[in-house]
Amino acid sequence: MKAKTIVPLVLGLGVGFFAVKMGIDLVKKAQGAQGSERVVFVSAKTIEVATKITDSMLTTTKVPETLIPPNAFTEEKALVGRVSGMTIAPGVPITASMLAPPGAEPGLAAIIPKGHRAVAVSVNEESAVGGFILPGAHVDVSTVDEKTRTSKLILTDVEVGAVGQSLSEVGSDGKTTRITKSVTLFLEPHEVQTLHAHSGKGRIRLAMRGASGDTESSWSKILANAMASAPRAAPAPKARPKLRLAPPRVVEVVRGSETQTLVFDPSGRLQNPAVEAARRAAANYPSNPTSTNNPATMPPEAIE
């Protein structure tokens, strides 16, 4: 074998051994970083929502301490008897966020959100979107008046809590559709009043929303709720029209080297009593008393 062939082969083998050694060292470091393992309780089978957990639904597995999910259960007595707040798949470590509050009883009451009420509405295949509405879906609620053939949207972005008497997202037969006669909605108190006020004005119909949501409709709901709950301001009192008075008339009377100022109100009366006395004194003015230039005999409107 030629030297030109041997040298590249030796170099390749050396690089390969170095890469293998580096990989082994990395694996050992990762195993050492994980530290010791602890026992964590996981679901042994599918646990349906709003179900009381028993020991037969649980199993254990060892998980490195650095990989244990926050609020995971490591003791069986702290988990048995609690109620699931969601559907838990098999083999999933159970955490506190998956459960209803401590003391909750199994059933619908365990999953009603805080500040909401559960209200059932009658539906059929047409009004329930052909049976594709499942628990956890979000819908818009409308009323349809068959006489006038008009529709009115009364609620938006409402969460479905149950379909019929089922709280699960999947039926016992594994199908994703079911035809029922009722759908239970989670509503806020003011939304309950809105639904009851319109229940006798037409047939209830549901429109299912997409998983991506609708920002515009969500903001419309927030705005509508704020307007419904905000107190109405009292109407502002009407401003009284202001009376526009005519300005007073000021007349200056010159008698030789003396000047007198006369102020008359809009009705022609002299406003200053002192000036009124001066006017009476002007009646003895030595000029012709019948002269039209005598201010004592001139009407107020003639004196400019």
Side-chain angles (χ1 to χ4, degrees), residues 207-229:
M208 186 165 64
R209 302 166 66 93
S212 59
D214 188 343
T215 304
E216 181 178 358
S217 296
S218 299
W219 278 110
S220 299
K221 177 185 177 182
I222 295 174
L223 180 60
N225 293 343
M227 293 179 64
S229 58

Side-chain angles (χ1 to χ4, degrees), residues 250-266:
V250 180
V251 179
E252 291 185 353
V253 180
V254 179
R255 295 185 302 188
S257 61
E258 297 181 359
T259 303
Q260 292 182 345
T261 302
L262 305 180
V263 180
F264 298 92
D265 60 13

Side-chain angles (χ1 to χ4, degrees), residues 13 15 26 36-37 59 64 73-74 80 84 100 102 119 121 136 155 173 201 207 210 245 269 274 302:
L13 291 175
V15 172
L26 290 174
S36 59
E37 296 180 334
T59 186
F73 289 88
T74 57
V80 173
S84 59
V119 180
V121 296
L155 297 174
D173 55 358
K201 299 181 180 180
L245 301 177
R269 292 183 302 178

Side-chain angles (χ1 to χ4, degrees), residues 3-292:
K4 294 182 179 180
T5 307
I6 295 176
V7 173
L9 179 61
V10 173
L11 292 176
L13 291 175
V15 172
F17 283 122
F18 179 76
V20 171
K21 185 177 183 305
M22 290 291 294
I24 294 174
D25 292 342
L26 290 174
V27 171
K28 289 181 178 181
K29 289 182 180 180
Q31 291 177 347
Q34 291 178 357
S36 59
E37 296 180 334
R38 295 183 62 184
V39 174
V40 175
F41 282 86
V42 300
S43 52
K45 58 182 180 179
T46 300
I47 302 177
E48 299 294 343
V49 63
T51 302
K52 180 176 287 188
I53 298 176
T54 62
D55 53 358
S56 62
M57 302 177 182
L58 304 174
T59 186
T60 58
T61 185
K62 290 185 177 181
V63 180
E65 290 187 353
T66 57
L67 301 180
I68 296 177
N71 300 322
F73 289 88
T74 57
E75 297 182 0
E76 184 178 14
K77 63 180 181 179
L79 185 56
V80 173
R82 294 287 298 273
V83 177
S84 59
M86 58 183 296
T87 301
I88 305 175
V92 175
I94 301 177
T95 62
S97 60
M98 300 178 181
L99 306 178
E105 295 295 329
L108 181 62
I111 60 174
I112 298 178
K114 184 178 180 180
H116 288 67
R117 308 291 186 267
V119 180
V121 296
S122 299
V123 295
N124 52 27
E125 182 178 2
E126 180 183 3
S127 61
V129 197
F132 285 96
I133 293 180
L134 303 174
H138 287 249
V139 298
D140 295 339
V141 184
S142 303
T143 58
V144 179
D145 191 339
E146 297 180 353
K147 295 181 180 180
T148 60
R149 296 185 179 182
T150 58
S151 176
K152 182 178 181 180
L153 180 65
I154 58 175
L155 297 174
T156 61
D157 198 10
V158 175
E159 182 181 358
V160 176
V163 177
Q165 294 183 348
S166 175
L167 306 178
S168 175
E169 299 178 357
V170 180
S172 57
D173 55 358
K175 296 182 180 180
T176 59
T177 61
R178 61 174 68 91
I179 306 300
T180 61
K181 295 183 179 181
S182 66
V183 170
T184 301
L185 307 175
F186 291 152
L187 305 177
E188 296 181 11
H190 72 274
E191 293 176 329
V192 176
Q193 296 179 1
T194 302
L195 179 62
H196 289 170
H198 290 83
S199 59
K201 299 181 180 180
R203 184 162 46 91
I204 298 295
R205 296 197 65 172
L206 306 179
M208 186 165 64
R209 302 166 66 93
S212 59
D214 188 343
T215 304
E216 181 178 358
S217 296
S218 299
W219 278 110
S220 299
K221 177 185 177 182
I222 295 174
L223 180 60
N225 293 343
M227 293 179 64
S229 58
R232 295 184 178 180
K238 295 183 178 180
R240 295 182 178 180
K242 296 182 179 180
L243 298 177
R244 301 183 62 182
L245 301 177
R249 301 179 63 183
V250 180
V251 179
E252 291 185 353
V253 180
V254 179
R255 295 185 302 188
S257 61
E258 297 181 359
T259 303
Q260 292 182 345
T261 302
L262 305 180
V263 180
F264 298 92
D265 60 13
S267 63
R269 292 183 302 178
L270 194 63
Q271 292 184 347
N272 193 336
V275 178
E276 177 67 23
R279 181 174 181 175
R280 290 196 301 266
N284 299 323
Y285 191 74
S287 62
N288 186 4
T290 61
S291 175
T292 57

